Amino acid sequence: MDNSMKLEFLSKSSNEGFARVAVAAFASQLDPTLEDLSDIKTALSEAVTNAIIHGYENTKGIVTISCQINNDTLTVTVSDSGRGIENLEQAMEPLYTSHPEMERSGMGFTVMETFMDSVSVRSAPGEGTDVTMSKTIKGR
Amino acid sequence: MDNSMKLEFLSKSSNEGFARVAVAAFASQLDPTLEDLSDIKTALSEAVTNAIIHGYENTKGIVTISCQINNDTLTVTVSDSGRGIENLEQAMEPLYTSHPEMERSGMGFTVMETFMDSVSVRSAPGEGTDVTMSKTIKGR
Amino acid sequence: MEMRYETAKRALVVSLSHDLDHHGAASLREKIDYEFRRRRARNIIFDLSALKFMDSSGIGLIMGRYRLSVAAGGKVFLSGVSPQLDRLISISGIYKIVGWAKSISEALQCL
Amino acid sequence: MEMRYETAKRALVVSLSHDLDHHGAASLREKIDYEFRRRRARNIIFDLSALKFMDSSGIGLIMGRYRLSVAAGGKVFLSGVSPQLDRLISISGIYKIVGWAKSISEALQCL
Ligand SMILES: Nc1ncnc2c1ncn2[C@@H]1O[C@H](COP(=O)(O)OP(=O)(O)O)[C@@H](O)[C@H]1O
Ligand SMILES: Nc1ncnc2c1ncn2[C@@H]1O[C@H](COP(=O)(O)OP(=O)(O)O)[C@@H](O)[C@H]1O
């Protein structure tokens, strides 16, 4: 492993911006383009927001972000120990959201899949959710 | 406690800049001035650099940064489980450095004390060092 | 965010800045809806040229304002869309329901 | 970082940018010392106007270059010092041994 970091913070929405900046600063070591960085921030923001609003349902919990750099690849895992996902297939469908009344668009997982090279989700109801995403930064 | 975060990363010098950006992004929630932010980044950079070069002596280890916001006060603890400090009084003297050949200036602790409101150090030889610093951000 | 109202076109022009994420969306929504109702507006133009970051919470915000305008017999336009934002908005599919314009004035002309 | 050599004053002008911390200091030191010796320079002017961040590793770097210049019978000047940097440099005490100038040209005149 070339480099790694782990970030834990309270499930407050005011930490969403902080989490994006921290992960982008870590990812900068791969010399990404501005577009790469924006992709990473957007995908991360989706996963962190989901942990806060769906995982912990706006109650107090800890969100954990682990990042690794291996060669040119950044791997990011966003974890919560919140309510978990009962029907993962349905959750990952574009436009599906369990909270339309909160004006969620149901596009979170689709955005992660579009902006990262790979996304995998492990979730158990009552235990929590881990979302692992990776992206390879092509040398310029 | 209003907000808190914990950051762990490998003791690589390339993480010094990342650590500064992450802590500054977290501290931004207190609406600090640019001068406050610069003070916090500078003090943090001293403590993180010390953990990497003195604590772990450039070998592989984990540096941990814990941050808390209580009302207007930011408290930051930088910890390593490296070699520790034998003579703390001497270490904290301005201009004292155990590594003049690495062009260390011996000003690290003095900078932390000047740029933060309080600094306290707990260290045990062979076990590691915790540096805790705090700064109150005056409302503008 | 800054808002202004174009009476002739009954259009609320919402200029977004900084980051549009879940954290900021709720208060933006409240302010926009308040102004929309107070002015008895029909149309909304989102000027995104000064926006630094947006994720799918922004898509949700735009979709919600679309419903509001449609209910008032109006339209929603987006202007100042950067290439990066364009990718996000494209995959969301909302270009099927909201208009796109190069600038605020072009959007006003389309109304 | 950018360097240029002022032959008339035997001065190496080092313009620093971005962040000067422990991570970057070693390679900067190597490059400056190489150029200093290659040019048979005597004096060093550090232009700090584009520097975004510096901690005590920068103080160590400047002190080390001071030793190099003194050994060659020369001086070190700092120019473009922001108020924030000025506080750091003041507490370090190095203003006792290095000069200060508003600009590179003023520093050159002092040599
Ligand atoms: N961390 C999580 N914990 C629990 N449920 C989740 C989590 N992440 C996503 N979900 C579920 O998956 C659904 C789809 O997520 P997503 O595609 O991000 O859309 P949105 O966030 O807009 O609802 C959510 O509405 C929620 O029901
Ligand atoms: N985390 C640490 N682990 C072990 N020793 C330390 C640590 N931090 C500081 N020291 C000791 O204290 C001395 C003084 O530290 P400091 O004032 O930061 O100056 P400098 O880093 O320039 O040497 C160091 O030279 C080192 O011997």
Side-chain angles (χ1 to χ4, degrees), chain B residues 13-14 16 20 35 38-39 41-42 45-46 49 53 102-105 107 111 114-115, chain D residues 19 21-23 29 53-57 59-61 63-65 84 87-88 91-92:
Chain B
S13 69
S14 62
E16 292 162 5
R20 288 195 295 272
E35 195 186 319
S38 172
D39 288 358
K41 278 171 144 173
T42 310
S45 196
E46 301 296 347
T49 301
I53 62 180
M102 284 167 58
E103 295 200 340
R104 302 305 303 162
S105 63
M107 292 303 296
V111 168
T114 308
F115 287 174
Chain D
D19 290 8
D21 61 5
H22 159 250
H23 179 59
R29 179 170 62 210
F53 174 85
M54 179 173 127
D55 63 16
S56 77
S57 302
I59 301 294
L61 182 90
M63 282 168 55
R65 288 338 103 225
Q84 188 67 27
R87 289 176 62 215
L88 177 72
I91 62 164
S92 77

Side-chain angles (χ1 to χ4, degrees), chain B residues 85-104:
Chain B
I85 304 176
E86 306 237 334
N87 186 339
L88 193 55
E89 212 179 316
Q90 182 186 50
M92 299 197 61
E93 268 169 28
L95 300 175
Y96 172 79
T97 177
S98 53
H99 285 291
E101 83 293 353
M102 284 167 58
E103 295 200 340
R104 302 305 303 162

Side-chain angles (χ1 to χ4, degrees), chain A residues 46-57 78-80 82-88 90-100 103-112 121 123 128-131, chain C residues 56-57 60:
Chain A
E46 301 296 348
V48 169
T49 301
N50 281 353
I52 294 173
I53 61 180
H54 301 307
Y56 293 117
E57 300 177 290
V78 178
S79 308
D80 65 69
R83 81 188 316 262
I85 303 177
E86 305 237 335
N87 186 338
L88 193 55
Q90 183 187 48
M92 299 196 63
E93 268 169 28
L95 300 176
Y96 171 78
T97 176
S98 53
H99 285 292
E103 296 202 339
R104 303 304 304 162
S105 63
M107 292 303 296
F109 280 124
T110 308
V111 168
M112 296 181 231
V121 184
S123 189
T129 302
D130 297 342
V131 176
Chain C
S56 76
S57 303

